[in-house]
């Protein structure tokens, strides 16, 4: 941090709500959060809204895809948290962590596309639990 | 695409709205969209809500940071679009493109952190225009 003072804005971002609808859901065997590495090691399915199927043109097995999702089970947050909840590690700011407990509980993970069947993607590397709402997919 | 049929879900994601508040705003010289490469070449400022400043502990100059933002000027979308609006290139699905015109107009860009001063980040590599609401920051 540099010492140069910057005038504090008056809550610049809080003037409006920003509303999204899920484009689909995650399906896998994990109904509760476990270690992210464990979820990532198992293939997951992303079932898109069937009306959005045409949006997958050009998404092919073997590619990487960025999955943006909503941590729908996350409730509240602290601005500084111990990494992975490990009390032996010093607290860090939430914006220096990937904790699901954040001001806007958005997750971003790059996955490997295994198969694309109509509106359904089979992927590997996703660390979201069963039922997670998906907000967007982008080229990684 | 494989031939295996998959039953279509009944709009699985549309049951609920997902609402976020901006955590801050982008400040730069670009009030209108120009070529993303042009915006990226110029440093931008991210002014966080001052109440969230503590969340930056551990975000340091020299690091890369993932910026998740809201394409607030984007209106509507097509499921298949010409890449970068270039009619000479075949249409692709919106989920195989980074177009701002998408079902949920969310942008994700990895930036270089140049400076952190209280609740203000100077960054390079951001391709969002002036006034863009920022939704989240994560380690890249």
């Amino acid at each position: 941090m540099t010492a140069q003072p910057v005038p504090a804005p008056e809550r610049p971002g809080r003037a409006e709500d920003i509303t999204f609808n899920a484009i689909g859901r995650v399906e896998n065997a994990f109904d509760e959060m476990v270690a992210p590495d464990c979820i990532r090691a198992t293939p997951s399915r992303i079932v898109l809204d069937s009306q959005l199927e045409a949006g997958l043109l050009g998404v092919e097995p073997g590619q990487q895809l960025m999955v943006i999702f909503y941590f729908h089970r996350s409730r509240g947050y602290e601005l500084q948290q111990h990494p992975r909840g490990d009390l032996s590690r010093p607290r860090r700011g939430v914006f220096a962590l990937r904790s699901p407990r954040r001001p806007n509980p958005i997750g971003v993970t790059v996955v490997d596309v295994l198969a694309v069947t109509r509106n359904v993607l089979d992927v590997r590397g996703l660390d979201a639990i069963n039922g997670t709402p998906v907000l967007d997919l982008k080229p990684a």
Side-chain angles (χ1 to χ4, degrees), chain A:
Chain A
M1 303 253 179
T2 68
Q4 185 188 351
V6 173
E10 294 182 0
R11 298 174 65 74
R14 299 290 164 155
E16 80 209 278
D17 286 345
I18 297 169
T19 300
F20 299 118
N21 291 291
I23 61 169
R25 300 273 169 187
V26 174
E27 290 186 2
N28 61 29
F30 300 94
D31 287 324
E32 303 293 334
M33 199 62 204
V34 296
D37 291 347
C38 186
I39 303 184
R40 267 196 292 270
T42 309
S44 284
R45 185 160 272 196
I46 296 172
V47 181
L48 273 201
D49 184 328
S50 59
Q51 300 193 18
L52 301 176
E53 180 185 330
L56 292 176
L57 180 68
V59 177
E60 304 284 353
Q63 292 177 348
Q64 289 199 310
L65 199 62
M66 177 182 283
V67 181
I68 302 164
F69 56 93
Y70 175 50
F71 286 115
H72 64 307
R73 295 280 191 83
S74 179
R75 296 286 178 274
Y77 65 92
E78 297 90 45
L79 283 173
Q80 298 184 348
Q81 303 175 32
H82 296 284
R84 295 181 178 237
D86 180 348
L87 301 182
S88 73
R89 298 172 66 184
R91 289 180 194 267
R92 292 170 66 89
V94 68
F95 302 123
L97 296 170
R98 285 185 162 256
S99 164
R101 308 188 67 244
R102 47 202 316 113
N104 290 316
I106 298 171
V108 178
T109 302
V110 173
V111 302
D112 295 312
V113 178
L114 303 176
V116 184
T117 312
R118 296 182 50 185
N119 61 317
V120 176
L121 297 163
D122 290 306
V123 303
R124 191 193 312 274
L126 189 57
D127 52 356
I129 64 172
N130 190 41
T132 295
V134 176
L135 297 173
D136 202 3
L137 305 170
K138 295 180 189 296

